[in-house]
């Protein structure tokens, strides 16, 4: 599909990530496994991201494009901020 005249594909309404879809992802078995950080670590990561200038619409990291409420839950993920991760 040609998106040159419509902006980026991710900006179109049908591709927008909703709070409902994020909660559905976080409810999956993967996010209740040992691959995830403890709730205290998760909350701290979200707090850091919420104060970051690279956070877009309270959901997306403009550095790497990840969905912060999902990425922050995973142990293997880290902040992608150039020059040094914030978490």
């Amino acid at each position: 599909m040609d998106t040159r005249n419509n902006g980026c594909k991710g900006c179109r309404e049908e591709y927008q990530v909703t709070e409902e879809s994020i909660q559905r992802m976080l409810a999956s078995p993967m996010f209740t496994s040992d691959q995830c950080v403890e709730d205290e670590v998760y909350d701290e990561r979200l707090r850091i991201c919420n104060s970051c200038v690279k956070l877009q619409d309270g959901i997306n990291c403009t550095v790497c494009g990840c969905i912060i409420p999902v990425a922050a839950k995973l142990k293997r993920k880290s902040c992608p901020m150039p020059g040094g991760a914030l978490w």
Side-chain angles (χ1 to χ4, degrees), residues 21-39 42 67-77:
S21 63
I22 291 171
Q23 292 308 314
R24 194 171 48 249
M25 283 185 260
L26 292 174
S28 73
M30 178 182 162
F31 290 98
T32 58
S33 72
D34 61 349
Q35 296 178 32
C36 296
V37 297
E38 299 293 324
D39 289 341
Y42 179 64
I67 300 168
I68 291 298
V70 174
K73 191 70 174 162
L74 300 172
K75 283 182 182 178
R76 62 181 169 81
K77 291 294 223 176

Side-chain angles (χ1 to χ4, degrees), residues 6-79:
N6 298 328
C8 77
K9 182 177 182 179
C11 294
R12 295 199 323 250
E13 189 174 327
E14 65 265 26
Y15 292 103
Q16 295 296 307
V17 176
T18 64
E19 182 64 30
E20 180 183 318
S21 63
I22 291 171
Q23 292 308 314
R24 194 171 48 249
M25 283 185 260
L26 292 174
S28 73
M30 178 182 162
F31 290 98
T32 58
S33 72
D34 61 349
Q35 296 178 32
C36 296
V37 297
E38 299 293 324
D39 289 341
E40 297 80 24
V41 174
Y42 179 64
D43 292 341
E44 178 66 8
R45 288 178 172 190
L46 291 179
R47 186 193 64 73
I48 291 167
C49 289
N50 283 327
S51 64
C52 182
V53 298
K54 299 295 185 179
L55 185 66
Q56 179 182 33
D57 300 327
I59 295 175
N60 296 96
C61 174
T62 60
V63 174
C64 68
C66 70
I67 300 168
I68 291 298
V70 174
K73 191 70 174 162
L74 300 172
K75 283 182 182 178
R76 62 181 169 81
K77 291 294 223 176
S78 63
C79 170

